[in-house]
Amino acid sequence: MPTPRININLSKIAHNAKVLSSLFKSKGIEIIAVTKGVCAHPHIANVLVNSGIKILADSRISNIKEMRAAGVKASFLLIRTPMISQAESVVLDTDMSLNSELSVIKKLSEFAILHGKIHKVIVMVELGDLREGILPSQLENTIKKVLSLRGVELTGIGTNLACFSGVKPTTEKMELLSSIASSIEKKFKIKLSVISGGNSANYNWFSTTKDVGRINNLRLGESIFLGYEPLTGKPIPKLYQDAFMLVAEVIELKNKSSMPDGEIGLNAFGNKPKFKDQGIIRRAILAMGVQDVMVAGLTPKLDVEILGAGGDHIIINAKKENLKVGSDVSFTLKYGALVTAMNSSYIFKNIITPINGEEYCAIVEEKDSLHKKKTAVMTVKEDHSPLISLQDSDFNLIFQKSIQKNYRYLVREEVYKKIGRISELLNNQGKKLIIRSAWRSFKHQQKLLEQKASFLKNKYPKKSIEEINKILSNFVAPKRKSTHSTGGAVDALIYDLRKKCVLDFGTNDGLHIDLNEKCYPKHPDISEEAKKNRKLLMKLFEDEDFVCDHKEYWHFDYGNIGWAVEKNKEYANYGVLKESFVQSAALNYPNKVFFYL
Ligand SMILES: *Cc1c(COP(=O)(O)O)cnc(C)c1O
């Protein structure tokens, strides 16, 4: 994939847009999404529309035209006071505009009449930030003239704060706008349908005010895309701050001094740079510079320090991070960095699209069939590590009843230790690990297969044998093919001690799991809660070097062929352990928990 690139996670943008929409709606405020920060990228615009936003706004007509041409289905608002020279295009290419000059509105009116259109106008009021807006004292005069013009419709009034001068949209400012709206309505006997109170910087006012007054509209860019409140730079609860990530590549990594050697003059940008003496440091050069992005707006994800940047390079102190030439280094972005990165032709726009259930399942099938081919040729160098019964441990575990009599929940010694650590982590969170199954003999596997087949036949009497076998083949391996025969496979769920129930994983009712495609671990069509719980379970095991099965979120492998394939190992450590062997070992060690081979 090309580097540098900006990863654009459409599902996270959709999430942020939905959360903010419903939050503001709770007090009667509708949201307009402002696309200028992402150069009106049509994919992003469509995501906003699909998240329920009806009006998109941009500062540039060219961006609005691009969205229109791409078939984005929304109304379009021009938010920068129109250039009088572009008045005709404003009327033709946008539905409404924010305005602060009567001469411009007059021109809009002329062209609207000419083209037989009605252009909607929101008149901006200056409330102290000293960018666009008509002074409150002159507002009535302007409104009177606008109302007399044909071809334009006065849709409402608005204000914009916290931009040029950083003036906060406080309760007083918003109450002032409300009272201006009411007095205009009274004076001219009209109804203003839009009272637009500002931008992302209105978040704190909104969250702390009970009564939003007449404000019924906000224009949001930054908070939707970056999940931050711009006045304090604090993350907004429940929002993603990493819907956009910038990735650059390391092109040089060397130990060098932190201080330059020689007389210091002006650098390439006409500044005299300053340096901090940190001795010899690991300096990495990234192939990305201020020609690509506003470097000052980047925050590295790793524990590294940006030392400076030139047109084409960013120099970082790599500290203890495990970087080498060719490594990717990722950054989150502030608004200025986002705008410049989206605008840069040097940065590849990597759209990460949410995939639907069907597409996801197709990918899983493909991966799984490749996985099966690879496991068939994977070799085993049996390490002869013993099987140990989890039942004899003092770990805090719940054992799901087995169809096998006197089932002992045997696992390899290494797996045993890992389960011990996982169960301890869970206990600290008020949860308990449920062990559903561990080592299984061929006989046990066969019995399971038969039991599941008859269960499915009962449940779906209309399905053919082929259909039943198809479901089975996804979830229960043939008796000799299951990795459970190695002692390196564990089936697990989690019990919540506070709520006194098994966590919801999307396809389970307590301990019972309904076998269907939604059991594929990252299936998109399960609830957020279930996704969170699967993530928790998978992270616990993956942190202990297990791999999760492609089709079963509860099945984890370590040391066996399934694991060796996924981890790109040369060979597996755990081969099949047959029942005869395990039993004879059990006879030899009747009182011990160890089953030596
Ligand atoms: C940019 C802009 C916005 C959006 O501001 P954010 O801080 O990105 O929410 C709203 N209104 C106007 C007039 C703007 O120029």
Side-chain angles (χ1 to χ4, degrees):
M1 187 162 304
T3 318
R5 63 179 174 274
I6 184 161
N7 292 335
I8 304 170
N9 188 317
L10 294 184
S11 352
K12 289 187 177 177
I13 297 169
H15 170 91
N16 285 2
K18 285 180 195 160
V19 170
L20 286 171
S21 285
S22 77
L23 175 74
F24 284 106
K25 207 175 186 178
S26 69
K27 295 180 196 168
I29 290 180
E30 194 199 357
I31 281 181
I32 291 175
V34 178
T35 51
K36 67 183 184 209
V38 293
C39 291
H41 198 296
H43 274 80
I44 301 175
N46 275 325
V47 162
L48 296 167
V49 172
N50 292 337
S51 308
I53 288 172
K54 300 204 166 51
I55 305 174
L56 299 182
D58 206 288
S59 46
R60 322 234 161 196
I61 295 187
S62 56
N63 280 352
I64 292 178
K65 276 169 119 167
E66 215 166 287
M67 287 190 276
R68 278 237 158 108
V72 176
K73 292 193 174 51
S75 295
F76 292 97
L77 165 71
L78 181 68
I79 48 172
R80 184 170 65 187
T81 313
M83 295 181 223
I84 200 159
S85 63
Q86 285 187 333
E88 186 166 17
S89 175
V90 174
V91 165
L92 291 175
D93 300 316
T94 78
D95 302 292
M96 49 188 143
S97 52
L98 303 185
N99 284 275
S100 59
E101 284 292 350
L102 188 60
S103 55
V104 174
I105 303 174
K106 279 186 178 155
K107 266 278 176 277
L108 295 175
S109 155
E110 283 171 27
F111 282 113
I113 294 166
L114 180 70
H115 292 288
K117 294 205 166 221
I118 301 286
H119 184 74
K120 295 181 177 169
V121 164
I122 294 173
V123 171
M124 295 300 275
V125 188
E126 168 62 61
L127 290 185
D129 200 54
L130 299 179
R131 207 178 70 182
E132 73 275 36
I134 293 165
L135 292 170
S137 57
Q138 285 153 28
L139 192 63
E140 282 191 5
N141 208 5
T142 308
I143 297 278
K144 191 171 159 193
K145 291 184 178 134
V146 172
L147 288 172
S148 72
L149 296 171
R150 286 188 299 133
V152 291
E153 176 188 305
L154 179 71
T155 299
I157 61 169
T159 194
N160 197 60
L161 295 165
C163 268
F164 183 68
S165 315
V167 170
K168 289 184 183 174
T170 54
T171 306
E172 295 81 69
K173 297 283 181 197
M174 290 301 108
E175 280 175 356
L176 181 55
L177 188 66
S178 286
S179 76
I180 292 173
S182 299
S183 78
I184 283 176
E185 287 184 342
K186 205 167 149 205
K187 164 104 190 174
F188 296 103
K189 298 195 175 59
I190 53 169
K191 175 97 184 91
L192 296 171
S193 50
V194 174
I195 321 253
S196 191
N199 50 47
S200 295
N202 281 55
Y203 176 81
N204 280 344
W205 157 76
F206 175 86
S207 359
T208 52
T209 193
K210 274 209 188 79
D211 180 8
V212 297
R214 299 290 315 276
I215 313 300
N216 63 8
N217 179 283
L218 289 173
R219 312 170 304 272
L220 306 183
E222 187 165 0
S223 50
I224 296 178
F225 298 128
L226 298 179
Y228 285 103
E229 185 285 303
L231 284 176
T232 60
K234 281 197 191 132
I236 296 176
K238 295 194 198 147
L239 297 194
Y240 290 108
Q241 283 76 44
D242 59 355
F244 295 83
M245 291 277 275
L246 194 60
V247 183
E249 187 174 322
V250 176
I251 52 173
E252 185 191 296
L253 181 75
K254 294 189 194 306
N255 290 331
K256 292 188 189 175
S257 170
S258 48
M259 296 303 285
D261 181 17
E263 281 178 45
I264 306 291
L266 299 183
N267 68 7
F269 296 95
N271 306 317
K272 201 160 189 176
K274 287 200 183 72
F275 302 93
K276 190 168 64 185
D277 193 353
Q278 310 181 65
I280 298 288
I281 52 173
R282 288 178 72 225
R283 296 173 78 100
I285 303 181
L286 308 180
M288 183 166 75
V290 296
Q291 234 195 114
D292 305 282
V293 63
M294 192 177 116
V295 175
L298 298 181
T299 311
K301 289 294 276 183
L302 297 174
D303 180 24
V304 300
E305 181 195 353
I306 299 179
L307 298 169
D312 305 306
H313 306 88
I314 297 176
I315 320 280
I316 61 174
N317 177 355
K319 296 189 187 171
K320 298 211 176 79
E321 292 292 351
N322 180 23
L323 293 178
K324 44 183 192 275
V325 170
S327 293
D328 282 345
V329 178
S330 302
F331 301 87
T332 53
L333 305 94
K334 303 233 167 69
Y335 199 61
L338 177 67
V339 178
T340 48
M342 288 303 291
N343 224 329
S344 169
S345 57
Y346 298 117
I347 292 179
F348 177 71
K349 314 295 180 301
N350 178 30
I351 300 275
I352 302 165
T353 1
I355 54 171
N356 65 32
E358 210 172 304
E359 291 163 333
Y360 170 72
C361 289
I363 293 169
V364 171
E365 294 301 342
E366 205 171 299
K367 273 195 189 158
D368 191 59
S369 101
L370 188 63
H371 176 87
K372 285 203 173 96
K373 280 185 205 152
K374 287 184 178 170
T375 52
V377 295
M378 178 52 77
T379 50
V380 180
K381 272 195 201 169
E382 176 57 60
D383 75 358
H384 301 287
S385 58
L387 280 172
I388 307 178
S389 169
L390 286 168
Q391 270 181 327
D392 296 332
S393 74
D394 50 13
F395 309 147
N396 218 340
L397 299 169
I398 295 172
F399 294 94
Q400 181 170 350
K401 201 169 172 312
S402 173
I403 52 166
Q404 184 67 23
K405 257 196 213 141
N406 303 323
Y407 189 59
R408 302 276 285 135
Y409 304 86
L410 302 172
V411 292
R412 298 284 187 139
E413 188 173 17
E414 203 54 46
V415 173
Y416 178 92
K417 290 181 194 159
K418 289 172 182 294
I419 296 290
R421 289 190 290 265
I422 292 173
S423 68
E424 195 181 323
L425 280 175
L426 271 176
N427 288 335
N428 297 340
Q429 305 175 28
K431 299 187 177 77
K432 226 165 157 173
L433 191 67
I434 302 169
I435 303 294
R436 310 183 64 214
S437 193
W439 176 79
R440 295 202 289 256
S441 65
F442 287 165
K443 226 195 253 167
H444 183 172
Q445 187 68 19
Q446 182 62 26
K447 211 173 183 177
L448 197 69
L449 199 60
E450 285 161 16
Q451 188 232 28
K452 290 278 182 241
S454 81
F455 175 84
L456 288 171
K457 272 180 216 152
N458 267 329
K459 181 162 180 191
Y460 305 112
K462 292 212 180 85
K463 282 202 197 291
S464 66
I465 299 289
E466 287 75 31
E467 285 170 310
I468 298 284
N469 284 342
K470 172 86 191 48
I471 303 177
L472 269 179
S473 73
N474 279 335
F475 300 103
V476 192
K479 81 175 187 189
R480 286 170 198 281
K481 288 274 190 282
S482 168
T483 53
H484 280 282
S485 64
T486 65
V490 178
D491 290 345
L493 293 175
I494 298 171
Y495 186 84
D496 189 325
L497 289 166
R498 285 179 211 127
K499 293 187 192 145
K500 294 197 170 55
C501 63
V502 181
L503 290 187
D504 170 17
F505 291 96
T507 61
N508 64 316
D509 179 6
L511 288 169
H512 174 76
I513 295 177
D514 199 15
L515 298 178
N516 61 53
E517 284 179 335
K518 289 189 184 165
C519 293
Y520 297 3
K522 292 184 178 161
H523 200 289
D525 303 335
I526 57 170
S527 69
E528 288 306 312
E529 178 66 21
K531 281 181 191 164
K532 193 182 87 196
N533 293 337
R534 283 189 191 185
K535 229 182 198 168
L536 169 69
L537 180 66
M538 285 160 67
K539 183 164 175 11
L540 284 164
F541 278 84
E542 284 168 358
D543 283 355
E544 282 289 350
D545 205 27
F546 284 88
V547 293
C548 184
D549 188 78
H550 285 296
K551 295 191 167 180
E552 304 174 346
Y553 57 81
W554 60 85
H555 178 116
F556 298 94
D557 286 303
Y558 176 80
N560 57 33
I561 51 172
W563 170 84
V565 163
E566 289 305 307
K567 292 271 176 183
N568 270 326
K569 303 278 179 188
E570 260 172 75
Y571 52 85
N573 309 320
Y574 304 157
V576 169
L577 300 177
K578 289 197 184 146
E579 180 170 32
S580 50
F581 217 89
V582 171
Q583 272 183 346
S584 72
L587 285 176
N588 290 338
Y589 297 89
N591 300 319
K592 290 211 181 145
V593 290
F594 283 22
F595 291 72
Y596 277 105
L597 308 175

